[in-house]
Amino acid sequence: MRRALIGSRKLSEGNKQEQIKKYFNQCHSYALAGDIMTSGLCPTGPDAIAQYAYAKAIDKGLASISQLEVYVSGQLLIDKSVLPYKEHSIIMPSTLCAERDYILKQVMTLNHFNACGEYALGMHRRNVHQVLSKDLKSPVDEVYTWCMIDTHGEPLGGTRTAIKIAQLYGIPVINDYDPNVTKNKLSSFTF
């Protein structure tokens, strides 16, 4: 099974140790089951937690590097990253720009798309690959996320783009966000 393991960096802020542990343990169980993870090379939040969970399984010989499908918008992000196995990240193909942007414009307002700077647009483009793979034709089986929601149940932040793409393609989304557990203290969870 291929799963997009993504979410908001807000998970790494505040006192969310229980939510972090739950996300880590679920991702680790996916690694042990042989599932392929798609994600981004984000230094904090669910993407990083998933990468650490898979790295733990790989380091113990219980999973394989071939289970990592981590997308970035450019080499500089790989060079700056401190995440394990960063060198196996996939730089988004430049040949699919028009197709990627077409998909984005289906889930983002044109004003939002046009207002994005190059870095933000690169992150949104990366989200397309996290859900639809390198060729944009091989959707994941499921999205497992931790993403804050507004009062109407709509996802917030950049992860919203990936969730909206998943919904557009009929891909199930599991959101582990629990507003009742969030507190405003500094998190000290380590891997």
Side-chain angles (χ1 to χ4, degrees):
M1 183 171 249
R2 288 177 63 247
R3 286 185 166 85
L5 306 177
I6 59 173
S8 170
R9 289 174 286 207
K10 299 273 186 197
L11 178 56
S12 296
E13 299 173 3
N15 186 17
K16 300 182 187 81
Q17 286 87 352
E18 290 306 311
Q19 291 181 53
I20 291 170
K21 287 178 190 175
K22 181 180 180 188
Y23 197 88
F24 180 91
N25 290 336
Q26 186 62 57
C27 291
H28 191 257
S29 72
Y30 292 150
L32 296 178
D35 293 352
I36 294 171
M37 71 168 264
T38 70
S39 197
L41 201 61
C42 189
T44 61
D47 299 56
I49 294 166
Q51 193 133 351
Y52 280 113
Y54 270 70
K56 180 179 177 181
I58 291 167
D59 291 346
K60 291 185 175 185
L62 302 172
S64 166
I65 290 173
S66 65
Q67 291 173 246
L68 300 176
E69 197 176 300
V70 179
Y71 293 96
V72 295
S73 58
Q75 182 64 44
L76 181 60
L77 293 172
I78 296 171
D79 295 342
K80 290 172 51 177
S81 178
V82 297
L83 292 176
Y85 301 107
K86 67 181 184 176
E87 64 276 9
H88 298 282
S89 298
I90 301 165
I91 297 173
M92 299 180 310
S94 58
T95 56
L96 296 173
C97 286
E99 191 173 349
R100 236 186 343 253
D101 287 353
Y102 174 77
I103 294 165
L104 280 177
K105 289 174 184 175
Q106 291 181 66
V107 297
M108 296 173 72
T109 66
L110 191 56
N111 285 343
H112 185 196
F113 181 87
N114 290 333
C116 284
E118 197 54 39
Y119 177 80
L121 197 53
M123 296 299 100
H124 288 295
R125 287 174 174 149
R126 178 202 68 187
N127 289 345
V128 178
H129 289 286
Q130 290 173 340
V131 177
L132 300 178
S133 193
K134 185 176 181 177
D135 63 4
L136 303 180
K137 295 176 182 2
S138 306
V140 294
D141 299 299
E142 181 181 272
V143 173
Y144 179 60
T145 187
W146 187 97
C147 179
M148 296 174 74
I149 55 174
D150 66 17
T151 55
H152 304 289
E154 288 293 315
L156 297 170
T159 306
R160 174 187 171 97
T161 302
I163 291 172
K164 291 295 182 186
I165 293 167
Q167 291 171 336
L168 182 67
Y169 284 80
I171 299 166
V173 176
I174 298 170
N175 187 359
D176 248 355
Y177 171 70
D178 184 351
N180 299 316
V181 180
T182 304
K183 298 195 179 11
N184 292 321
K185 294 181 183 175
L186 185 62
S187 176
S188 61
F189 182 76
T190 57
F191 299 98

